[in-house]
Amino acid sequence: MKRITGIFVAAVMIIGIMVVGGCGGGGAKPQEQAAKKETVKVGVILPLTGSEAMFGAMEKNSMEMAYEELKAAGKTTVGGKEIELKFEDDQSKQDAAKAAAEKLINQDKVAMLSGGYSSANTNVIAGTAQSKGIPFLIVTGSADEITKQGWQWIFRGTAAPASKYTGALWDLMDKVIKPKSVALIYENTDFGTSSAKGFRKVCQDKGINIVFDQAYEKGAIDFKPMLANMKKTNPDVVFAVSYVMDASLITKQMKELDFNTKLFIGGAAGYTMPEFKENAGDASEYVASTTLWIPNVAWKGAADYFKKYKEKYGKEPDYHGAQAYATMYIIADALGRAKDFTPEGIRQALKSTDLMTIMGPIKFEDWEGYTNQDKPTTYVVQWQKGKLEVVWPEEAASAKLVFPVPNWKERK
Amino acid sequence: MTAKGWLTPTVIAVVALVLPLILRDPYPQHILIMILIWATLGTAWNLLGGYAGQVSFGHAAFFGLGAYSAGLLFFHLKISTWWGLLLGPLVATAVAVPIGLICFRLRGPYFALATLALGEIFRLVFTNWVSFTRGAQGILILSTFPTKVPYYYIALAIWGLAMFTLNRLINSKLGYYFVSIREDQDAAESLGIPTTRYKMYALLPSAFLAGLTGAFYMNYIAFIDPHVVFSLGDISVMVILVVMMGGVANPWGAPVGAAIYIALNEIFRAWLGSANVLAFGILVCLVILFLPNGVMGELGQIRRTAFRQKPAAAGGGQK
Amino acid sequence: MSLFGQTVICGILLGGMYALIAIGMTLIMGVMKIINLAHGALVMVGMYITYVCYKSWGLDPYLGMLIAMPALFLIGCLIQKYMINRLVEVDSILPENQVLLTVGIMLVLTEVARLIFKSDYRSVTTGYSSSTFFVGDMSISVPMTVGFFIAMAFTYLLHLFLTRTDLGRSIRATAQDRNAAVYMGVNAPRVTVITFGIGSALAAAGGSLLLPLFYLWPDIGHLFTAKAFIITILGGMGSTMGAIFGGLTLGIAESLGATYISMGYKDVVGLVIFLFVLLFIPGGFKSLTKR
């Protein structure tokens, strides 16, 4: 009995592995049929299923849209080869991200990697890419430390480090707002904790009094206890780093509590998405936020991208989609300039990127401890009459900042 | 053990040792290593749950403690995370003592829920105690080895240790005690068996092995955060699923379950697009409905009763 | 002082709605002694049905709930009859098989919802979604209050059902001692099927009440399952009054935890109370009141 058991087990394990390995090999066949031309493969790891699938889908669609545009312009043929995007699903989970990275690098033999939505998954992919010496161009993952390790193979262009989202905001704070007290709330995720850390440090450096500082678990139903507590401390300004649904609930419940501040500022992510306005309704009015991009930003092609995406997919894209779109352009540009398609060749081409995209100029530089990190262009936006307007910096502004914002009761 | 008894383990051992040299592509190697990780974790759980009948819904606590022991050595003391392989299991075992003393007062579903709550408490504490653990930002290190092969052998050694421990324990008197506690704790008590003590004897090695697996995980995946390593759904519940699918109370239950889970999960992920988790869910339902004792458990329909009456020896001898 | 009042009121209102969700689970656990990890997924399905009613026919969630409830009753009955009941008959080493089956069911329900609705967040914004009224300094949300009272009404109705009707008494009998109930002529398998159905229907009701307040996405189930467990244990398995007590306790504890400790640790408060009750008052509230 034991013998049968043992042999059975061994057989199951071996068959299982062969199937997986074989499947990978089997996967090669469709490629041979599809591409008569030789291809340069770019592996893109995104959350196509799982809790983050909404963003994964948006980014995939944006990249494909950009790819079509580039193809029409003849830019997808580089050095006699055709760029080919190969998407892999990381299921919004780390282990799957690692498996996807391993598969793309070893099985599909991609020339470079891209993608990376959540910071946790981006961490894992970056670690894998760095140890294998394959270039990885990050689309969204924002945790500071990913580009603070001195890892030469990791590039981050369209995404800013979490603590740097507030560049334009601090300019505005210094020049206009000059708060005496701030309240800080943030979600308990990598992005939230990183952003809060950065914000807290700058406040401390500038001697601004932080009267309330709390993390919360995302997905809560009732924020009123926390908000009521915050209301007591009477902050001039509230800075919140939240995911879109928490953002809607927080602002709605602040209205319900009649909790007034001079300005409510979101730390990117949730407060700029169209879903925020839909769900928060008129509580979203006058809410400001830091952001890397909005549809009516001044860069060429931004408004066209927004319109085209909305027509094609029936949904409004936000900065995540713009990031993916711009990243596709960066990839095509770098591959076009690469002297060869070895990892080193692509790495050098990426390093020397100097490209204007719908997110602004992209250059990979080493600064403040970051490696291969683009210096982000950030904005402060504010919802006015149901539209997101750029209010800072003044050169890029499409409307004037409303500050201090009117109390809830004073609004109609 | 008879000569026959040695044959299969040897065959498997040889195959396992040689596999990475046959399959040289790192992608299948990654799959193998994940299988080994889950097989070890499953074996650890099986000891407490399958044999001693104490179904823990919080094994992620031990796994996470092991992973964080390794990670925090690096984060706070800049010591290599490999030392976590020593520290992790010890921390997990140490924490298991009060957990056991608290939870073993409870039976059945109450025990399960208590362990579930504890696992979640650990997760929340590690997420919120940012100064100590870096919270949700996690701990990121660079992999020590550029190829997977050393990781494979280490994982294999860890799994071997787990199997060996399991084998020794269940073939000893302890094994009989475990099963008697599982089958009828009151009867065991009435026979004078100090059930709490023996449940601890099952829990401590279980926690030790889970912690060891966690520490290895830190070294291999090179990034952890509380949301992943203390996860209720992805670790605690999944390990139960894995062992139940493979077969509880059977030494090969965990490895078989792990192989099924990892290999199929990856196949579904790569080939079924958005339906991959759905396919897995359907599979779970089918396996449990039609093979209620898991693959290994149903292998011998006749043997099922024998498995229950004859503990430990796992079907050896007769036939 | 009003901060305290605000906190407690929020806690009570929300707790009442949690309780309705938990009642389903406590019934199921009481009768069948299984841990139903798919409970949250059932809530989610109920919420999606209500959402669809709202989106397609403009039905207010409080009305849509009346459609979701029978639908979930049916689904619950089917699940119990064709899946879980099969396992009860089978001899297995560890009875926890049933739990794992509910995990499988949970995965299937969640993923089917994801396939149909994608992972997007959906919400229902009605005219009264944000209405509040003020009692002194304390802001009280209208949908929360309405939800609370409806939840209490359902609970009372359930209580009447369980104590005054034959079927209700059969359910309680099966919960107390399955074998004895069978000897008394109760059709246990049928009772379990109906119980699961009722439990699911109540879960759907609880979820629908939360719809104007919160939002909806396929993974929302996990949140509710966790809360339902805590409440079930706090209240004692199978006890409706216990579930109310448990729900209110959890709601207030979380609120107080959020205000006076920190929002990040609020769930820890609930879990610690849960453990405490598990260890020291294993029968929950129900056992305390029986003395």
Side-chain angles (χ1 to χ4, degrees):
Chain A
M1 186 58 207
K2 199 166 181 179
R3 167 141 59 146
I4 302 176
T5 312
I7 294 182
F8 176 77
V9 167
V12 163
M13 289 179 78
I14 293 178
I15 291 175
I17 290 152
M18 290 306 187
V19 169
V20 173
C23 272
K29 290 200 206 91
Q31 286 169 341
E32 290 161 25
Q33 292 164 359
K36 289 295 171 184
K37 245 176 156 163
E38 274 205 43
T39 60
V40 172
K41 291 196 215 108
V42 176
V44 184
I45 304 178
L46 288 173
L48 299 175
T49 62
S51 46
E52 295 156 3
M54 191 167 86
F55 297 100
M58 191 194 309
E59 297 196 356
K60 177 165 183 277
N61 293 339
S62 301
M63 276 186 107
E64 287 176 334
M65 219 170 83
Y67 183 83
E68 292 304 315
E69 288 175 13
L70 286 163
K71 190 160 174 180
K75 297 239 175 78
T76 52
T77 315
V78 289
K81 302 191 186 180
E82 185 77 9
I83 300 180
E84 187 192 320
L85 291 179
K86 189 144 182 15
F87 290 97
E88 280 282 335
D89 178 17
D90 70 14
Q91 298 183 319
S92 314
K93 282 201 224 157
Q94 260 180 251
D95 288 352
K98 186 152 174 82
E102 294 288 344
K103 178 168 180 286
L104 285 170
I105 295 177
N106 300 300
Q107 193 110 65
D108 304 299
K109 307 256 187 286
V110 295
M112 64 175 283
L113 284 175
S114 187
Y117 168 75
S118 74
S119 287
N121 289 6
T122 308
N123 271 330
V124 170
I125 304 170
T128 314
Q130 175 68 17
S131 53
K132 290 281 175 17
I134 299 279
F136 172 40
L137 176 58
I138 301 174
V139 173
T140 302
S142 305
D144 275 32
E145 66 200 5
I146 303 177
T147 42
K148 263 193 156 164
Q149 308 276 336
W151 287 354
Q152 292 303 320
W153 294 100
I154 313 302
F155 291 83
R156 185 156 62 185
T158 50
S163 62
K164 295 291 172 199
Y165 271 64
T166 49
L169 175 66
W170 281 112
D171 195 43
L172 178 64
M173 295 274 246
D174 288 338
K175 296 200 180 123
V176 177
I177 305 183
K178 307 201 222 294
K180 300 212 184 39
S181 57
V182 296
L184 168 63
I185 55 175
Y186 54 101
E187 60 174 22
N188 239 339
T189 59
D190 201 340
F191 180 72
T193 319
S194 289
S195 308
K197 210 159 106 174
F199 186 83
R200 204 180 286 125
K201 183 159 183 315
V202 179
C203 282
Q204 284 161 358
D205 291 343
K206 291 189 194 280
I208 300 179
N209 191 14
I210 303 181
V211 293
F212 190 83
D213 186 343
Q214 248 187 47
Y216 62 85
E217 197 69 10
K218 74 177 183 181
I221 301 185
D222 189 19
F223 289 93
K224 284 197 186 153
M226 179 176 79
L227 293 172
N229 226 348
M230 203 200 309
K231 185 175 172 187
K232 267 175 60 172
T233 62
N234 207 9
D236 276 347
V237 156
V238 175
F239 182 70
V241 186
S242 312
Y243 201 43
V244 65
M245 299 316 282
D246 292 336
S248 326
L249 286 178
I250 289 175
T251 42
K252 270 204 304 199
Q253 291 178 3
M254 277 180 75
K255 179 174 172 204
E256 291 175 24
L257 281 175
D258 195 29
F259 174 5
N260 292 296
T261 59
K262 293 193 187 151
L263 188 62
F264 183 102
I265 307 168
Y271 293 92
T272 55
M273 294 169 66
E275 282 84 354
F276 171 67
K277 184 181 76 122
E278 268 170 46
N279 287 296
D282 54 15
S284 67
E285 189 73 358
Y286 302 126
V287 167
S289 179
T290 59
T291 188
L292 297 179
W293 185 92
I294 55 168
N296 45 351
V297 85
W299 310 115
K300 182 160 172 295
D304 291 333
Y305 159 71
F306 181 79
K307 233 175 61 186
K308 208 166 147 193
Y309 189 98
K310 191 169 172 184
E311 269 169 33
K312 188 161 181 198
Y313 294 103
K315 269 184 67 152
E316 292 182 0
D318 67 13
Y319 75 87
H320 299 100
Q323 284 176 324
Y325 181 90
T327 302
M328 183 67 238
Y329 271 82
I330 302 174
I331 294 175
D333 170 73
L335 289 178
R337 280 181 294 107
K339 63 177 184 337
D340 58 44
F341 296 125
T342 61
E344 182 58 28
I346 298 181
R347 192 188 74 78
Q348 283 183 7
L350 279 170
K351 185 90 190 180
S352 53
T353 301
D354 192 350
L355 181 70
M356 182 59 76
T357 67
I358 65 166
M359 290 196 71
I362 300 285
K363 241 174 112 136
F364 296 108
E365 303 178 86
D366 303 341
W367 51 286
E368 275 188 43
Y370 297 108
T371 315
N372 295 341
Q373 172 72 56
D374 171 67
K375 286 200 184 133
T377 333
T378 60
Y379 307 91
V380 181
V381 294
Q382 189 178 39
W383 287 96
Q384 293 181 1
K385 297 209 189 10
K387 243 185 93 184
L388 258 189
E389 305 281 359
V390 180
V391 294
W392 203 264
E394 287 172 312
E395 315 87 74
S398 58
K400 195 161 178 331
L401 169 70
V402 173
F403 175 80
V405 307
N407 284 345
W408 296 112
K409 298 222 166 85
E410 290 162 22
R411 308 186 201 182
K412 22 158 191 54
Chain B
M1 286 217 233
T2 61
K4 244 194 206 173
W6 276 113
L7 179 61
T8 35
T10 321
V11 166
I12 295 185
V14 168
V15 168
L17 282 170
V18 159
L19 261 182
L21 306 171
I22 307 175
L23 290 174
R24 315 195 113 239
D25 188 325
Y27 173 52
Q29 288 175 350
H30 168 72
I31 303 290
L32 280 175
I33 297 176
M34 293 307 291
I35 292 179
L36 286 171
I37 291 178
W38 278 91
T40 313
L41 191 57
T43 306
W45 185 90
N46 203 3
L47 182 58
L48 180 66
Y51 285 97
Q54 308 302 305
V55 177
S56 153
F57 268 76
H59 251 56
F62 305 122
F63 181 80
L65 280 171
Y68 265 94
S69 304
L72 290 177
L73 274 178
F74 178 74
F75 174 56
H76 286 297
L77 303 173
K78 302 281 178 269
I79 300 178
S80 159
T81 46
W82 288 108
W83 288 103
L85 289 182
L86 276 179
L87 184 63
L90 293 174
V91 169
T93 315
V95 173
V97 174
I99 288 183
L101 290 174
I102 296 175
C103 293
F104 284 141
R105 307 172 47 166
L106 303 168
R107 309 266 199 104
Y110 295 105
F111 174 77
L113 289 174
T115 52
L116 187 153
L118 279 169
E120 282 292 278
I121 290 179
F122 271 101
R123 181 179 64 80
L124 288 167
V125 167
F126 271 74
T127 306
N128 280 291
W129 196 1
V130 182
S131 53
F132 181 55
T133 65
R134 290 205 82 214
Q137 293 166 87
I139 300 181
L140 179 65
I141 62 170
L142 192 51
S143 308
T144 325
F145 305 116
T147 75
K148 299 229 173 312
V149 179
Y151 289 109
Y152 174 83
Y153 286 116
I154 298 176
L156 189 62
I158 293 177
W159 177 61
L161 175 66
M163 293 298 277
F164 179 75
T165 312
L166 184 72
N167 189 294
R168 287 276 120 227
L169 281 172
I170 63 183
N171 279 320
S172 71
K173 224 164 123 186
L174 281 180
Y176 285 91
Y177 286 137
F178 292 159
V179 179
S180 68
I181 293 174
R182 177 186 83 209
E183 289 303 315
D184 194 333
Q185 187 171 329
D186 296 315
E189 286 261 7
S190 73
L191 288 177
I193 298 176
T195 52
T196 307
R197 197 195 320 162
Y198 281 102
K199 288 196 250 184
M200 288 299 270
Y201 289 157
L203 173 62
L204 295 179
S206 178
F208 183 91
L209 290 168
L212 182 58
T213 316
F216 176 74
Y217 183 86
M218 167 83 249
N219 278 291
Y220 177 59
I221 300 276
F223 175 73
I224 59 169
D225 70 29
H227 166 69
V228 168
V229 298
F230 285 109
S231 165
L232 174 60
D234 292 330
I235 308 260
S236 289
V237 171
M238 208 46 89
V239 71
I240 304 176
L241 213 69
V242 160
V243 181
M244 284 208 170
M245 285 209 297
V248 295
N250 183 303
W252 290 101
V256 167
I260 296 176
Y261 167 56
I262 298 286
L264 279 177
N265 205 14
E266 184 58 20
I267 296 176
F268 289 158
R269 181 194 75 80
W271 287 82
L272 289 181
S274 348
N276 58 24
V277 186
L278 175 61
F280 185 69
I282 295 178
L283 179 76
V284 168
C285 290
L286 290 175
V287 169
I288 297 191
L289 280 175
F290 295 110
L291 299 173
N293 280 315
V295 170
M296 296 310 293
E298 300 297 329
L299 259 192
Q301 294 281 6
I302 316 145
R303 283 288 160 187
R304 212 180 340 116
T305 341
F307 274 128
R308 288 187 72 190
Q309 281 162 7
K310 276 242 232 77
Q318 272 155 342
K319 209 247 201 90
Chain C
M1 192 53 214
S2 67
L3 177 62
F4 182 75
Q6 174 83 63
T7 306
V8 170
I9 295 203
C10 282
I12 292 177
L13 294 179
L14 194 53
M17 284 186 282
Y18 284 159
L20 186 60
I21 294 177
I23 281 185
M25 179 180 273
T26 196
L27 260 187
I28 293 172
M29 259 184 107
V31 170
M32 280 166 292
K33 312 278 186 282
I34 61 167
I35 301 178
N36 179 17
L37 284 175
H39 197 75
L42 294 167
V43 176
M44 180 263 297
V45 172
M47 284 171 90
Y48 268 111
I49 294 179
T50 311
Y51 171 78
V52 167
C53 290
Y54 174 78
K55 272 280 175 240
S56 315
W57 302 310
L59 267 185
D60 187 279
Y62 294 131
L63 293 176
M65 176 171 77
L66 299 173
I67 298 186
M69 286 176 75
L72 259 298
F73 178 80
L74 196 60
I75 294 177
C77 286
L78 289 174
I79 291 179
Q80 178 67 27
K81 183 154 181 201
Y82 292 110
M83 296 181 87
I84 304 183
N85 264 345
R86 282 199 54 168
L87 271 190
V88 176
E89 328 291 313
V90 170
D91 226 3
S92 58
I93 301 175
L94 275 185
E96 273 76 8
N97 270 341
Q98 299 167 341
V99 182
L100 269 304
L101 181 59
T102 63
V103 172
I105 295 173
M106 185 251 314
L107 284 174
V108 171
L109 288 173
T110 310
E111 291 305 311
V112 169
R114 210 195 296 281
L115 268 178
I116 304 178
F117 295 101
K118 307 277 177 302
S119 287
D120 300 349
Y121 297 103
R122 314 275 174 164
S123 63
V124 162
T125 325
T126 59
Y128 52 83
S129 271
S130 277
S131 330
T132 54
F133 60 93
F134 280 86
V135 172
D137 228 2
M138 305 186 293
S139 149
I140 304 183
S141 151
V142 166
M144 266 174 102
T145 318
V146 174
F148 177 79
F149 284 112
I150 296 184
M152 293 299 113
F154 271 123
T155 311
Y156 184 64
L157 286 174
L158 181 69
H159 181 74
L160 288 180
F161 171 74
L162 287 176
T163 46
R164 305 279 176 86
T165 68
D166 269 347
L167 184 54
R169 273 181 244 151
S170 310
I171 293 178
R172 281 165 57 214
T174 317
Q176 271 185 12
D177 189 331
R178 192 189 174 104
N179 289 328
V182 172
Y183 297 149
M184 293 303 217
V186 169
N187 182 345
R190 187 164 151 264
V191 161
T192 52
V193 168
I194 293 184
T195 310
F196 205 95
I198 295 180
S200 310
L202 290 171
S208 306
L209 289 175
L210 281 171
L211 203 47
L213 281 170
F214 198 38
Y215 46 92
L216 175 59
W217 85 108
D219 298 299
I220 202 178
H222 304 292
L223 172 70
F224 294 132
T225 308
K227 304 240 186 270
F229 274 131
I230 297 179
I231 295 174
T232 301
I233 294 294
L234 285 181
M237 287 204 290
S239 158
T240 41
M241 285 304 130
I244 300 285
F245 170 79
L248 293 177
T249 309
L250 182 64
I252 296 176
E254 276 189 3
S255 261
L256 288 173
T259 306
Y260 295 110
I261 306 179
S262 102
M263 188 98 178
Y265 277 108
K266 82 166 160 69
D267 292 329
V268 178
V269 174
L271 287 169
V272 168
I273 295 182
F274 175 70
L275 267 178
F276 182 83
V277 171
L278 257 186
L279 291 169
F280 300 112
I281 321 174
F285 176 67
K286 177 172 81 166
S287 67
L288 286 179
T289 54
K290 289 272 194 301
R291 295 209 205 109

